[in-house]
Structures are given as C-alpha cells and as structure tokens.
Amino acid sequence: MSTQITPAVQRAEEPARTDLGIVGTRALRGARRPGGKRLSRAGYAAIAIVVFVCSVFPVYWMVNMSFTPPNKIISRNPSLLPLEFTWKNYVTAWTREAAPGQTDFPHALASSLGVAITVVIVCALFAFLASIAIARFAFRGRIVFIVSVLVVQMVPGEAMMFTIYNMVDDWRLMNTLVGLFIVHLASVVPFTIWTLRGFVKGVPADLEEAAQIDGCTKPQAFWRVTFPLLAPGLVSTGIFAFIQSWNEFLMALLFLKGYNLTLPPWLNSFQSATEATNWGAVMAGSTLIALPVVIFFLFVQGRMTGGLVSGAVKG
C-alpha cells in the first residue's frame, strides 16, 4: 500500500526542514567560531611581534655595536652578539673632544640637561596656565588664540631658521644656552598648550563645585581634586617637551659652537671629512645620549598612574 504525501503536508514540512537547516548552520558556525578567534588572535600576535622586533632591533644593534671593536663593526659578516666585548668605545666617547678646544661629553651632557630641564619646567608652567584659561574661561579672542596655536605648530622650524637666527643674533644670545632655551621653549609650548587643553576639558568642573560644597575653598578644590587628575597630562607633555629639547639638532648646531655644544651636535663631530669615522664611538655616544631619556621616562611613568589614581579617590 503506497503512501502519498499531499501538497499540504509537503508545504508543512518544508519550513521545519528550513528551520532545522538554519539552526544547524548556526550551530556549525558557533562551533567554528572559537577556533577562528584563536587564529585571528594568533595573527594579531604575530603582527605585533614583527612590529616590536622591527622597532627594537635598531636600538639593539646600536647597543651591540657600541661594545664591538671598531675593526669588527665594518666587517662584511657582523655578529648579532658582541663576541669580542670591549669598553673602549665608551671610554673614547666619554673623553673625546668635539674638536681641538671644544667640549667633551660630560660638558655637553651638562648643557643638554640644563636646557632640557629648564624647558620642561617653564613650558609646563606656561602651558598649564594657558590651557586652563582656554578650557575653563570664555574670553574675547579665545577661538583666534586656539587657531593661532595650531597654525604656529604647523609651521616647520626650518622655514623660520634664518629669521630665528637674526632675532637671536640681535638679542646678543648667539652661542649661549639661554638663546637655545628660548628657541626650544617657543617650539614646544604650542603643542603642549593644545595637549593640556584636552586634559583640562576632560576634567568636569562639577568636581570642584562638589568639593566646594564639602567645605573647600576654590583654590583648595582645584589643588586637591582637579590638579591630581591633570598630573598625568602634565607628565605626558613634560616627557614630550624633554625629548623634543633633548634631541633637537639643527638649531643647536646653528647657534652653538665650541664649549657650549649640546649632545646632538657634539655627536656629529665624530664624522669628519679628513679622517675615518669611529663608528664604535658613535654608537657608544648614541647609547649614552639615549640613556637619560630612558631613565627620565622610567622615573615619571609611575607618577602618571599615581596621579590618576590619587585624583580619582576622595580623601
């Protein structure tokens, strides 16, 4: 006896089959999803490792060559490890004068530290006050001032090099660290103001009002509540200002000579047209120049987190 499926029964079964097919497909996709996530994470991790290696390898190679004898540096088959370890390059970099009668590394280090630290302190003070005025007060010309800060930041220093040279010369500040400090400060302040303005706008003014309701005066509310929240921004911009001043080469080379050289133009003196370049001393000097920046960053990074946490807790 044959069984016939009527069209009505067939139409009733089709949605059920379709639903089962959809459910099965979704279940299959769900089963495959964890493996796909693991593959994507592995791919991202591989990309991150490649980027990290490409970023760190030049620094490692600089340090490696600083411990390698000069005759091995120019070898066609350099070693990835300093097999013939030597401190001679550091001794040469520390004691060598930039030129006869010019400065050596200790005096260039003192000049760079003096200029960079002064730039950080003065820049933080000016930029901090200016950013508060821009973010918290509505005054005439506020938008014009903000746009002017951006425009000044966009103009490259090389385009104004001769103008700046003439100004410093007219002020009788050529070959002085004061003249270099003024130039560095003028180049760093605009970006610092713009960056700190974002930090100040990110702190609600309601926090100060709540502290005043609790009994604080307005200055006390600012220093106890708002300022700790702005401390990470000050540290971040201070790091930028320090690195910008520490690594600046062109203006220092243009304004300074002799005993007042800072570290970047001092390092440039190792390349001479009359004698072979001592690449071992160059790499050792580069490593010594990079160390203060690393130490400064390690010293202040904890204060970035500490300032954020202390400002978020009511005490």
Side-chain angles (χ1 to χ4, degrees):
M1 182 177 179
S2 61
T3 303
Q4 295 182 355
I5 301 175
T6 61
V9 176
Q10 185 175 4
R11 284 193 301 268
E13 290 180 354
E14 285 180 355
R17 294 173 182 174
T18 304
D19 294 341
L20 290 175
I22 294 174
V23 172
T25 304
R26 290 179 178 175
L28 184 59
R29 290 177 180 175
R32 293 178 179 177
R33 189 171 299 170
K37 286 185 177 180
R38 284 194 291 269
L39 289 177
S40 62
R41 290 177 181 175
Y44 291 145
I47 295 174
I49 292 173
V50 171
V51 172
F52 174 78
V53 171
C54 293
S55 302
V56 173
F57 183 77
V59 179
Y60 167 75
W61 193 252
M62 175 185 70
V63 177
N64 178 31
M65 291 296 101
S66 68
F67 293 108
T68 303
N71 61 332
K72 299 296 182 181
I73 293 177
I74 59 176
S75 173
R76 292 183 178 272
N77 298 311
S79 175
L80 291 175
L81 297 174
L83 300 179
E84 299 182 16
F85 190 89
T86 179
W87 289 97
K88 185 177 179 181
N89 296 327
Y90 284 91
V91 174
T92 302
W94 187 272
T95 58
R96 184 184 184 277
E97 294 182 345
Q102 291 189 359
T103 189
D104 53 7
F105 179 84
H107 294 94
L109 175 64
S111 299
S112 293
L113 283 175
V115 173
I117 293 175
T118 309
V119 166
V120 170
I121 295 174
V122 178
C123 179
L125 178 61
F126 276 99
F128 182 62
L129 297 177
S131 61
I132 292 177
I134 294 173
R136 292 292 176 86
F137 300 98
F139 55 89
R140 183 176 297 178
R142 175 172 170 270
I143 302 300
V144 176
F145 179 77
I146 295 174
V147 174
S148 301
V149 169
L150 285 177
V151 171
V152 170
Q153 184 63 32
M154 293 177 183
V155 179
E158 290 77 6
M160 302 182 292
M161 184 171 58
F162 295 105
T163 303
I164 295 174
Y165 182 89
N166 291 331
M167 291 176 61
V168 175
D169 190 29
D170 292 339
W171 295 340
R172 301 183 183 277
L173 294 177
M174 289 297 299
N175 197 27
T176 62
L177 297 180
V178 176
L180 184 64
F181 157 74
I182 294 174
V183 174
H184 285 187
L185 183 65
S187 63
V188 172
V189 163
F191 178 83
T192 308
I193 292 175
W194 183 258
T195 305
L196 280 178
R197 172 180 172 268
F199 280 96
V200 175
K201 288 188 66 176
V203 178
D206 298 339
L207 296 177
E208 294 184 28
E209 297 176 359
Q212 293 178 35
I213 294 175
D214 290 341
C216 292
T217 62
K218 194 165 186 177
Q220 288 176 343
F222 177 79
W223 289 109
R224 293 183 180 181
V225 178
T226 305
F227 182 77
L229 292 172
L230 297 178
L234 282 172
V235 173
S236 301
T237 53
I239 292 174
F240 168 80
F242 184 87
I243 294 176
Q244 187 78 2
S245 176
W246 184 264
N247 293 332
E248 204 284 321
F249 169 74
L250 184 60
M251 295 299 176
L253 182 66
L254 185 65
F255 296 146
L256 303 179
K257 61 182 179 180
Y259 197 75
N260 290 327
L261 287 178
T262 54
L263 286 174
W266 166 83
L267 184 64
N268 184 63
S269 65
F270 282 92
Q271 298 187 15
S272 174
T274 58
E275 59 184 18
T277 302
N278 188 345
W279 291 110
V282 170
M283 295 301 175
S286 301
T287 304
L288 291 174
I289 292 175
L291 280 178
V293 179
V294 176
I295 294 173
F296 178 72
F297 179 77
L298 294 177
F299 177 75
V300 300
Q301 68 169 349
R303 282 152 181 79
M304 294 176 64
T305 306
L308 182 61
V309 173
S310 62
V313 179
K314 181 180 176 181

